[in-house]
Amino acid sequence: MRAETERLILRPWEARDLEPFAAINADAEVMRFFPARFTREETVAYIERIAALESEDLGFQAVEEKATGDLVGVVGMAPVKPEYPAAPGVEIGWRLARHHWGKGYASEAARAWLAHGFDNLGLPEIVAFTYVGNTPSRRVMERIGMRYDPASDFEHPALAEGHMLRPHVLYRLKAEDFQR
Ligand SMILES: CC(C)(COP(=O)(O)OP(=O)(O)OC[C@H]1O[C@@H](n2cnc3c(N)ncnc32)[C@H](O)[C@@H]1OP(=O)(O)O)[C@@H](O)C(=O)NCCC(=O)NCCS
């Protein structure tokens, strides 16, 4: 997907994104709700893996700041992995460089993805999930109109029992509830 919002460009990954994205993934504060930070090699592998999944329709893609060309981070949508209780479905997610927090960029990019999902792809629903204690991410979900569905709380299937980050919450947005 390629799209422009007021302040952002949403686009596929490019070679120049590697260094700034590796820095985002190596930042302990950005990654505090993930089991581990990424090494540079893991960022390379991640970009290769998500770039391979990219299509005209879905993907976790690069977000660039229009005014500066700076990489803001990653925002996008992908099919929920089959091992998650929310599957089958489409999820939306985000991860931004710390110096771009607090500007409304995650919400701005996410709204463009939601519009694409509902208006161009005709999806009936889009979900999002995160660790129960990830308040900033839950706030983005609420800001873009998603609703917490307590009945769908789940334990992250890739994490061992007892792992602190295991309890996850799920938010939903149905096409008919999307506010343009
Ligand atoms: C989750 C994350 C993307 C949220 O970033 P964020 O900058 O707080 O989110 P938004 O883009 O929605 O910005 C909203 C904030 O910007 C402020 N803001 C400033 N200008 C704004 C504008 N023009 N429009 C909207 N909000 C604006 C808002 O007041 C709001 O602050 P508040 O939450 O204190 O009310 C960020 O914390 C992050 O990358 N975290 C680490 C990765 C992660 O955990 N990802 C989720 C995994 S599931």
Side-chain angles (χ1 to χ4, degrees):
M1 211 258 292
R2 279 179 193 276
E4 279 195 27
T5 64
E6 193 189 333
R7 297 175 292 168
L8 304 170
I9 297 171
L10 317 189
R11 59 161 175 78
W13 293 97
E14 294 175 9
R16 65 184 162 113
D17 300 319
L18 177 59
E19 293 312 325
F21 193 40
I24 292 172
N25 292 332
D27 182 329
E29 178 76 6
V30 171
M31 300 301 278
R32 73 193 192 281
F33 298 120
F34 292 84
R37 293 185 275 161
F38 289 17
T39 62
R40 194 175 182 284
E41 291 66 37
E42 284 167 334
T43 292
V44 172
Y46 180 87
I47 290 188
E48 276 170 8
R49 189 159 43 84
I50 53 183
L53 290 175
E54 247 167 38
S55 66
E56 283 304 304
D57 296 343
L58 296 175
F60 286 116
Q61 292 192 332
V63 177
E64 179 182 320
E65 187 174 41
K66 253 191 210 175
T68 60
D70 195 22
L71 182 76
V72 167
V74 53
V75 179
M77 299 195 313
V80 179
K81 287 188 193 151
E83 62 269 29
Y84 286 70
V90 171
E91 64 156 313
I92 185 164
W94 35 74
R95 180 185 306 165
L96 267 48
R98 211 183 331 167
H99 59 278
H100 286 302
W101 293 1
K103 301 178 183 174
Y105 282 172
S107 312
E108 186 170 321
R111 284 199 189 92
W113 271 102
L114 292 177
H116 173 65
F118 292 129
D119 298 344
N120 300 340
L121 309 181
L123 298 174
E125 182 185 65
I126 295 167
V127 302
F129 45 84
T130 189
Y131 166 60
V132 62
N134 191 344
T135 307
S137 192
R138 295 182 67 165
R139 220 184 275 152
V140 175
M141 293 170 196
E142 283 156 17
R143 204 175 281 123
I144 62 177
M146 304 189 91
R147 272 200 225 122
Y148 175 41
D149 175 13
S152 298
D153 284 357
F154 67 100
E155 301 287 300
H156 196 295
L159 299 175
E161 240 170 87
H163 193 292
M164 196 199 94
L165 298 175
R166 216 164 171 246
H168 271 58
V169 289
L170 187 102
Y171 284 66
R172 298 180 185 277
L173 181 58
K174 296 204 182 301
E176 60 267 29
D177 296 329
F178 178 51
Q179 306 276 334
R180 281 164 190 83

Coordinates of all heavy atoms in Angstrom, one line a residue, residues 7 30 34 94-96 101-107 129-130 134 136-137 139-140 143, ligand 1:
R7 N 0.6 14.4 7.4 CA 2.0 14.6 7.7 C 2.9 13.4 7.4 O 4.1 13.5 7.7 CB 2.0 14.9 9.3 CG 1.3 16.1 9.7 CD 1.3 16.3 11.2 NE 0.5 15.2 11.9 CZ 0.5 15.0 13.2 NH1 1.3 15.6 14.0 NH2 -0.3 14.1 13.7
V30 N 11.4 1.5 23.5 CA 10.4 1.2 22.5 C 10.0 -0.3 22.7 O 8.9 -0.7 22.5 CB 11.1 1.4 21.1 CG1 10.2 0.8 20.0 CG2 11.3 2.8 20.8
F34 N 8.0 -6.0 24.7 CA 8.3 -7.2 23.8 C 9.3 -8.0 24.6 O 10.1 -7.5 25.4 CB 9.0 -6.7 22.5 CG 8.0 -6.0 21.6 CD1 7.7 -4.7 21.8 CD2 7.3 -6.7 20.6 CE1 6.8 -4.0 21.0 CE2 6.3 -6.0 19.8 CZ 6.1 -4.7 20.0
W94 N 1.6 -1.2 15.3 CA 2.5 -0.1 15.2 C 3.7 -0.2 16.1 O 3.6 -0.8 17.1 CB 1.7 1.2 15.5 CG 0.7 1.0 16.6 CD1 1.0 0.8 17.9 CD2 -0.7 0.8 16.4 NE1 -0.2 0.6 18.6 CE2 -1.2 0.5 17.7 CE3 -1.6 0.9 15.3 CZ2 -2.6 0.3 17.9 CZ3 -3.0 0.6 15.6 CH2 -3.4 0.4 16.9
R95 N 4.7 0.5 15.7 CA 6.0 0.7 16.5 C 6.7 1.9 16.0 O 7.1 1.9 14.8 CB 6.8 -0.6 16.4 CG 8.1 -0.5 17.3 CD 9.0 -1.7 17.0 NE 8.3 -2.9 17.2 CZ 8.8 -4.1 16.8 NH1 10.0 -4.2 16.1 NH2 8.2 -5.2 17.0
L96 N 6.9 2.9 16.8 CA 7.4 4.2 16.4 C 8.7 4.5 17.1 O 8.9 4.2 18.3 CB 6.4 5.3 16.7 CG 5.4 5.7 15.6 CD1 4.7 4.5 14.9 CD2 4.4 6.7 16.1
W101 N 7.1 9.9 19.3 CA 5.9 9.7 20.1 C 5.3 11.0 20.5 O 6.0 12.0 20.5 CB 6.3 8.9 21.4 CG 6.8 7.5 21.2 CD1 6.9 6.8 20.1 CD2 7.2 6.6 22.3 NE1 7.4 5.6 20.3 CE2 7.6 5.4 21.7 CE3 7.3 6.8 23.7 CZ2 8.1 4.3 22.4 CZ3 7.8 5.7 24.4 CH2 8.2 4.5 23.8
G102 N 4.0 10.9 20.8 CA 3.3 12.1 21.3 C 3.0 13.2 20.3 O 2.6 14.3 20.6
K103 N 3.0 12.8 19.0 CA 2.7 13.7 17.9 C 1.4 13.3 17.2 O 1.0 13.9 16.2 CB 3.8 13.7 16.9 CG 5.1 14.2 17.4 CD 6.1 14.1 16.2 CE 7.6 14.5 16.7 NZ 8.5 14.3 15.6
G104 N 0.8 12.1 17.6 CA -0.4 11.6 16.9 C -0.1 10.9 15.6 O -1.0 10.6 14.9
Y105 N 1.2 10.5 15.4 CA 1.6 9.8 14.2 C 1.0 8.4 14.1 O 0.6 7.9 13.0 CB 3.1 9.8 14.0 CG 3.7 11.1 13.5 CD1 5.1 11.2 13.5 CD2 2.9 12.2 13.1 CE1 5.7 12.4 13.0 CE2 3.5 13.3 12.6 CZ 4.9 13.5 12.6 OH 5.5 14.6 12.2
A106 N 1.1 7.7 15.2 CA 0.6 6.3 15.2 C -0.9 6.3 14.8 O -1.3 5.5 13.9 CB 0.8 5.6 16.5
S107 N -1.7 7.2 15.4 CA -3.1 7.3 15.1 C -3.4 7.7 13.7 O -4.2 7.2 13.0 CB -3.8 8.2 16.1 OG -3.4 8.0 17.4
F129 N -4.2 -6.2 19.1 CA -3.9 -6.8 20.4 C -2.6 -6.4 20.9 O -1.7 -6.1 20.2 CB -4.1 -8.3 20.5 CG -3.5 -9.1 19.3 CD1 -2.2 -9.4 19.4 CD2 -4.2 -9.4 18.2 CE1 -1.6 -10.1 18.3 CE2 -3.7 -10.1 17.1 CZ -2.3 -10.5 17.2
T130 N -2.5 -6.4 22.3 CA -1.2 -6.1 22.9 C -1.2 -6.6 24.3 O -2.2 -7.0 24.9 CB -1.0 -4.5 22.9 OG1 0.3 -4.2 23.3 CG2 -2.0 -3.8 23.8
N134 N 0.3 -2.5 28.2 CA 0.9 -1.5 27.2 C -0.1 -0.4 27.0 O -0.8 -0.3 26.0 CB 1.2 -2.3 25.9 CG 2.0 -1.4 24.9 OD1 2.0 -0.2 25.1 ND2 2.6 -2.0 23.9
P136 N 0.2 2.9 26.3 CA 0.2 3.8 25.1 C -0.4 3.1 23.8 O -1.1 3.8 23.1 CB 1.7 4.0 24.9 CG 2.4 3.7 26.2 CD 1.5 2.7 26.9
S137 N -0.2 1.8 23.7 CA -0.7 1.1 22.5 C -2.3 1.0 22.7 O -3.0 1.2 21.7 CB -0.1 -0.2 22.4 OG -0.4 -0.8 21.1
R139 N -4.1 3.1 24.2 CA -4.7 4.4 24.0 C -4.8 4.7 22.5 O -5.8 5.3 22.0 CB -3.7 5.4 24.6 CG -4.5 6.5 25.3 CD -3.6 7.6 25.8 NE -3.1 7.3 27.1 CZ -2.0 7.7 27.6 NH1 -1.2 8.4 26.9 NH2 -1.6 7.4 28.9
V140 N -3.8 4.2 21.7 CA -3.9 4.4 20.2 C -5.2 3.6 19.7 O -6.0 4.2 18.9 CB -2.7 3.9 19.5 CG1 -2.9 3.9 18.0 CG2 -1.5 4.7 19.9
R143 N -8.2 5.6 20.6 CA -8.2 6.9 19.9 C -8.7 6.7 18.4 O -9.3 7.6 17.9 CB -6.8 7.5 19.8 CG -6.8 9.0 19.7 CD -5.4 9.5 19.8 NE -4.9 9.7 21.1 CZ -3.8 9.1 21.6 NH1 -3.0 8.4 20.9 NH2 -3.5 9.3 22.9
Ligands
LIG1 C1 2.3 2.7 20.9 C2 2.9 3.9 20.3 C3 3.1 3.7 18.8 C4 2.1 5.1 20.7 O1 2.7 6.3 20.2 P1 2.0 7.7 20.6 O2 2.8 8.7 19.9 O3 1.7 7.8 22.0 O4 0.6 7.6 19.8 P2 -0.2 8.6 18.9 O5 0.5 8.7 17.6 O6 -1.6 8.2 18.9 O7 0.0 10.0 19.6 C5 -0.9 10.4 20.5 C6 -0.3 11.4 21.5 O8 0.2 12.5 20.7 C7 -0.4 13.7 21.1 N1 -0.6 14.5 19.9 C8 0.1 15.6 19.6 N2 -0.3 16.1 18.5 C9 -1.3 15.4 18.0 C10 -2.1 15.4 16.8 N3 -1.9 16.3 15.9 N4 -3.0 14.4 16.7 C11 -3.2 13.5 17.6 N5 -2.5 13.4 18.7 C12 -1.5 14.3 18.9 C13 -1.7 13.3 21.8 O9 -2.1 14.2 22.8 C14 -1.4 11.9 22.3 O10 -0.8 12.0 23.6 P3 -1.6 11.4 24.9 O11 -1.6 9.9 24.6 O12 -0.7 11.8 26.0 O13 -2.9 11.9 24.9 C15 4.4 4.1 20.9 O14 4.3 4.3 22.3 C16 5.3 3.0 20.6 O15 5.9 2.9 19.5 N6 5.5 2.1 21.6 C17 6.4 1.0 21.5 C18 6.0 -0.1 20.5 C19 4.8 -0.8 21.0 O16 4.6 -1.1 22.1 N7 3.9 -1.1 20.0 C20 2.7 -1.7 20.2 C21 2.8 -3.2 20.3 S1 1.2 -3.9 20.3

